Amino acid sequence: NLWNAPDAEKSIGTSTIGSSEACMLGGLAFKRRWQQARRAAGKDTSSPNIVMSSAVQVCWEKFCNYFDVEPRYVPISEEHKTLDGHDLANYVDENTIGVVAIMGVTYTGMYEPVAEIAAALDEIQKDTGLDIPIHVDGASGAMIAPFLQPDLVWDFRLERVHSISTSGHKYGLVYPGLGWVVWREARWLPEDLVFKVSYLGGEMPTFALNFSRPGAQVLLQYYMFLRLGFEGYRAVQQESQDVAEYLAQGIARLDAFELWNDGSDIPVFAWRLKEGHTKNWTLYDLQDRLRMKGWLVPAYPMPADLEQITVQRIVVRNGLSM
Ligand SMILES: *Cc1c(COP(=O)(O)O)cnc(C)c1O
């Protein structure tokens, strides 16, 4: 319901250790669904690919590496700061198992416009017949958008979004390690990926990369949902966002810096050093100085094609007050 499944009773999902495992399960469901469709049509299944922004989190590189899927990166640029559907037709083909959209890009905290990506895929389907699903990697944003941007259409309101994952231990407000992945409809999770285990008594379906896991985080997530409720989560996330926007505005007023984004998506934002401001220090020096005082405010290069740009990022979470 939080992610607007048309019929929550018909959706299906599982807990994971974090978003990494959740994303890999989402990717595996894509791959299996694609393999089954290709086999049924008597077509080759040797070279699946997945399309995503060059700014994806490392778990997607892992997925591709561990599960033999070709990664196709759409480079971000100053004009296209996120994957936005631009040029997508040049990346997808009959071997594309799916497209990843990120809600809360790790580098900057920006949302990718999932509805625009879905619209671009609609066009592609009209032209080519290819029906390519979307997985939303909502590691942070899937626990922010329902509360702070309820009118933003990024979730299961879009039919093309087959699955959504999130980290319970980011804005889900639980300690590490907890993630969730949910499929819009049970049919998008191929049944032959689910194992039915009987030796603990009863019949226990399981879809996970590991088997035993601690249950404390799952209980804490339930507790937090019940304890805070929708309104409680909204208030906590709003507080984080207020702090993030306040910090972003303050940093924007300092002569040295230029914001990349302003914390109005998830409570995360990044900035860069203004060109020509100084040759005496860099954001890496600033990171170092802040660290001496106990603040972890990392500086790092942007991904491929923008790697000449260094940004510095603040992640505001519950507990960082005004
Ligand atoms: C943090 C993050 C991940 C990985 O999540 P873990 O819970 O650390 O495994 C994946 N995708 C995005 C966009 C992230 O921000």
Side-chain angles (χ1 to χ4, degrees), residues 8-66:
E9 295 292 317
K10 295 207 173 104
S11 63
I12 193 169
T14 186
S15 64
T16 61
I17 287 294
S19 279
S20 299
E21 187 187 9
C23 289
M24 284 190 248
L25 298 182
L28 280 171
F30 273 175
K31 184 178 173 189
R32 185 60 59 89
R33 171 183 170 263
W34 171 85
Q35 283 171 328
Q36 286 172 347
R38 298 278 294 175
R39 278 195 201 110
K43 289 179 174 161
D44 173 61
T45 58
S46 62
S47 41
N49 68 68
I50 190 164
V51 174
M52 53 205 176
S53 153
S54 58
V56 282
Q57 209 265 356
V58 64
C59 71
W60 289 103
E61 291 171 50
K62 263 188 202 174
F63 167 72
C64 291
N65 181 333
Y66 293 178

Side-chain angles (χ1 to χ4, degrees), residues 193-209:
L193 287 174
V194 180
F195 289 81
K196 302 225 159 75
V197 187
S198 59
Y199 75 84
L200 297 177
E203 197 182 68
M204 188 65 195
T206 154
F207 180 36
L209 297 183

Side-chain angles (χ1 to χ4, degrees), residues 76-127:
I76 59 165
S77 63
E78 303 253 8
E79 302 79 61
H80 300 278
K81 283 179 162 180
T82 63
L83 182 76
D84 56 9
H86 169 77
D87 217 17
L88 203 51
N90 289 329
Y91 291 86
V92 301
D93 59 25
E94 60 176 6
N95 292 317
T96 302
I97 62 172
V99 170
V100 177
I102 315 165
M103 283 293 282
V105 175
T106 314
Y107 290 82
T108 60
M110 289 173 77
Y111 288 155
E112 292 188 335
V114 186
E116 284 175 38
I117 296 168
L121 289 170
D122 290 345
E123 283 305 308
I124 289 168
Q125 185 169 5
K126 256 187 235 149
D127 295 343

Side-chain angles (χ1 to χ4, degrees), residues 34-295:
W34 171 85
Q35 283 171 328
Q36 286 172 347
R38 298 278 294 175
R39 278 195 201 110
K43 289 179 174 161
D44 173 61
T45 58
S46 62
S47 41
N49 68 68
I50 190 164
V51 174
M52 53 205 176
S53 153
S54 58
V56 282
Q57 209 265 356
V58 64
C59 71
W60 289 103
E61 291 171 50
K62 263 188 202 174
F63 167 72
C64 291
N65 181 333
Y66 293 178
F67 297 103
D68 282 319
V69 174
E70 177 205 340
R72 289 201 179 156
Y73 299 112
V74 181
I76 59 165
S77 63
E78 303 253 8
E79 302 79 61
H80 300 278
K81 283 179 162 180
T82 63
L83 182 76
D84 56 9
H86 169 77
D87 217 17
L88 203 51
N90 289 329
Y91 291 86
V92 301
D93 59 25
E94 60 176 6
N95 292 317
T96 302
I97 62 172
V99 170
V100 177
I102 315 165
M103 283 293 282
V105 175
T106 314
Y107 290 82
T108 60
M110 289 173 77
Y111 288 155
E112 292 188 335
V114 186
E116 284 175 38
I117 296 168
L121 289 170
D122 290 345
E123 283 305 308
I124 289 168
Q125 185 169 5
K126 256 187 235 149
D127 295 343
T128 65
L130 299 171
D131 183 7
I132 299 171
I134 294 174
H135 175 90
V136 177
D137 175 356
S140 300
M143 287 290 193
I144 293 287
F147 304 106
L148 298 189
Q149 297 99 2
D151 297 329
L152 183 69
V153 177
W154 63 277
D155 53 14
F156 292 134
R157 283 169 282 184
L158 298 167
E159 211 177 326
R160 206 171 277 284
V161 173
H162 280 200
S163 46
I164 298 174
S165 54
T166 196
S167 296
H169 53 228
K170 288 183 177 174
Y171 289 100
L173 310 180
V174 175
Y175 44 61
L178 182 66
W180 301 100
V181 55
V182 176
W183 285 265
R184 186 178 195 267
E185 296 163 63
R187 66 183 167 129
W188 297 137
L189 171 57
E191 250 173 66
D192 56 355
L193 287 174
V194 180
F195 289 81
K196 302 225 159 75
V197 187
S198 59
Y199 75 84
L200 297 177
E203 197 182 68
M204 188 65 195
T206 154
F207 180 36
L209 297 183
N210 48 321
F211 186 66
S212 305
R213 60 148 296 149
Q217 297 86 348
V218 177
L219 289 178
L220 184 56
Q221 182 82 81
Y222 278 131
Y223 174 78
M224 293 301 285
F225 278 155
L226 292 173
R227 178 73 181 85
L228 298 181
F230 189 93
E231 179 50 29
Y233 264 81
R234 202 204 55 73
V236 168
Q237 315 300 38
Q238 186 63 60
E239 171 74 14
S240 295
Q241 183 143 72
D242 290 348
V243 173
E245 291 187 328
Y246 178 79
L247 279 168
Q249 285 157 21
I251 285 168
R253 275 199 298 274
L254 300 177
D255 217 26
F257 305 125
E258 192 168 53
L259 290 184
W260 182 270
N261 62 310
D262 63 3
S264 58
D265 289 344
I266 60 173
V268 171
F269 66 98
W271 65 90
R272 50 182 157 174
L273 198 54
K274 255 188 212 149
E275 199 140 308
H277 177 77
T278 180
K279 284 196 164 19
N280 295 335
W281 55 274
T282 67
L283 294 178
Y284 293 105
D285 298 315
L286 179 57
Q287 151 184 279
D288 203 42
R289 288 284 151 167
L290 287 167
R291 195 160 190 163
M292 286 178 197
K293 300 202 185 253
W295 295 99

